[in-house]
Amino acid sequence: MNPPPASAAYGLPPPELAPVPAGAVQVSPLIPGSAVLEEIAPDSLEEVVVAAPPGTLERRYVLALALRALAPGGRLVALAPKEKGGSRLGKELRAFGCEVHETGQRHQRVCRTRRPDAPMGLDEAIEAGRPRLSEALGLWTQPGVFSWDRPDPGSVLLIQALPALAGRGADLGCGLGLLSHAVLASPQVTSLALVDLDRRAVNCARRNVQDPRASFHWQDARAGPDLTGLDFVVMNPPFHEGGAEDKALGQAFIRRAHAMLRKGGALWLVANRHLPYEGVLGELFAQAALKAEGGGFKVYEARK
């Protein structure tokens, strides 16, 4: 039996700013296959290094979980870009009762502290960041997931434009399962693979889409799952990676959808109006047509 880990790394901290101890267990909802921070035993770790997320509720949730996992006196290093929560890191850690040494490096705030014997407010921060059933959405959701607290208007526009689909399909970047729920309203759909890079989204989608035709995949849609011969793919592809806009990300999703589809199969996608996807659609697909526009979004159907 392997010994329990002595340290953990949340996300991918820049090694030049916050080196991760050798043998640290990787924990992140955005790295498929990672361990789950929520499942690490309290008071069990000597050190945790956290690339802190930008959202306030999500960030305080992660910091509280990290402090809970540390033994008293255990080391915590947390860092984030100044404009994406880093400027608030020190204050948030002090509110938990930590004494913080804070520095600025390469546009990031780096906070170093040790877990106090009796940290304050951990339970409240963990409760505020947990999955919950949203009355506004009618869905299970969690802070940090894409469009976690409101219906995404692009997805809503796509749902309004979708015909009744049939056969085998996939929802790439499924999020909470909003699109999938609409797709599965058609009795002619025989199977639907829900794929997302975010473990939290996949877990929420499992609760939101309780249909025997659905399967769930915590994977980067650009690399998996290994699906071919599909009749349709639906998607609202992401266009940010590492906090910066990246049009190549959505284009990679389109290429992946093309590889999954059978000849004659259909891709339905929604995108922000300014994103240049027409070129890759025209390059790969036999035909592509604009089906809807509104609210800064556009919906395309493309046939292989």
Side-chain angles (χ1 to χ4, degrees):
M1 179 179 295
N2 293 327
S7 56
Y10 184 91
L12 296 172
E16 69 276 12
L17 299 182
V20 173
V25 64
Q26 176 71 68
V27 289
S28 172
L30 302 178
I31 301 176
S34 295
V36 179
L37 180 56
E38 290 87 336
E39 295 177 358
I40 293 180
D43 305 333
S44 66
L45 298 181
E46 298 172 5
E47 183 171 358
V48 180
V49 183
V50 174
T56 300
L57 291 177
E58 179 189 10
R59 185 175 57 254
R60 293 186 70 248
Y61 177 74
V62 170
L63 293 174
L65 288 170
L67 287 167
R68 186 181 72 175
L70 283 166
R75 297 179 298 276
L76 173 64
V77 181
L79 71 165
K82 286 185 284 189
E83 71 280 7
K84 295 180 180 178
S87 62
R88 297 185 289 277
L89 264 179
K91 182 179 179 180
E92 290 167 344
L93 287 167
R94 292 183 187 98
F96 290 130
C98 298
E99 294 184 8
V100 182
H101 175 69
E102 187 171 355
T103 59
Q105 297 173 262
R106 301 190 182 184
H107 306 291
Q108 301 228 13
R109 299 302 295 178
V110 183
C111 294
R112 293 177 170 84
T113 186
R114 290 183 178 271
R115 195 203 116 165
D117 290 337
M120 302 178 294
L122 298 190
D123 291 342
E124 292 82 357
I126 292 170
E127 185 61 32
R130 285 189 191 280
R132 80 282 307 272
L133 182 60
S134 166
E135 293 185 6
L137 289 170
L139 299 170
W140 281 90
T141 186
Q142 185 174 5
V145 175
F146 171 70
S147 198
W148 74 272
D149 58 350
R150 65 195 183 283
D152 174 67
S155 295
V156 171
L157 183 66
L158 177 52
I159 288 169
Q160 293 169 345
L162 278 178
L165 298 172
R168 299 170 56 240
D171 180 354
L172 303 186
C174 66
L176 300 174
L178 186 67
L179 273 178
S180 294
H181 195 272
V183 167
L184 289 165
S186 169
Q188 300 304 313
V189 172
T190 56
S191 68
L192 184 67
L194 286 73
V195 186
D196 206 286
L197 182 66
D198 191 331
R199 171 181 47 77
R200 302 165 300 183
V202 174
N203 288 345
C204 287
R206 287 181 189 275
R207 304 177 82 164
N208 294 327
V209 184
Q210 297 189 13
D211 189 301
R213 296 171 292 170
S215 61
F216 302 88
H217 307 266
W218 179 26
Q219 290 183 261
D220 186 335
R222 294 170 292 180
D226 186 15
L227 297 171
T228 57
L230 298 183
D231 299 294
F232 66 88
V233 173
V234 298
M235 63 183 185
N236 181 357
F239 61 96
H240 287 88
E241 188 161 35
E245 183 173 314
D246 182 2
K247 65 184 180 183
L249 182 56
Q251 292 170 342
F253 268 63
I254 292 170
R255 292 189 175 91
R256 183 64 180 159
H258 180 267
M260 290 179 169
L261 288 165
R262 63 168 173 81
K263 186 175 181 180
L267 166 64
W268 283 86
L269 78 95
V270 64
N272 289 60
R273 184 179 287 141
H274 75 278
L275 292 171
Y277 293 159
E278 292 82 0
V280 69
L281 289 171
E283 169 194 333
L284 293 175
F285 289 85
Q287 52 184 314
L290 180 66
K291 291 295 186 178
E293 283 188 280
F297 296 93
K298 53 190 177 183
V299 173
Y300 280 93
E301 179 193 20
R303 290 276 174 180
K304 184 171 179 179

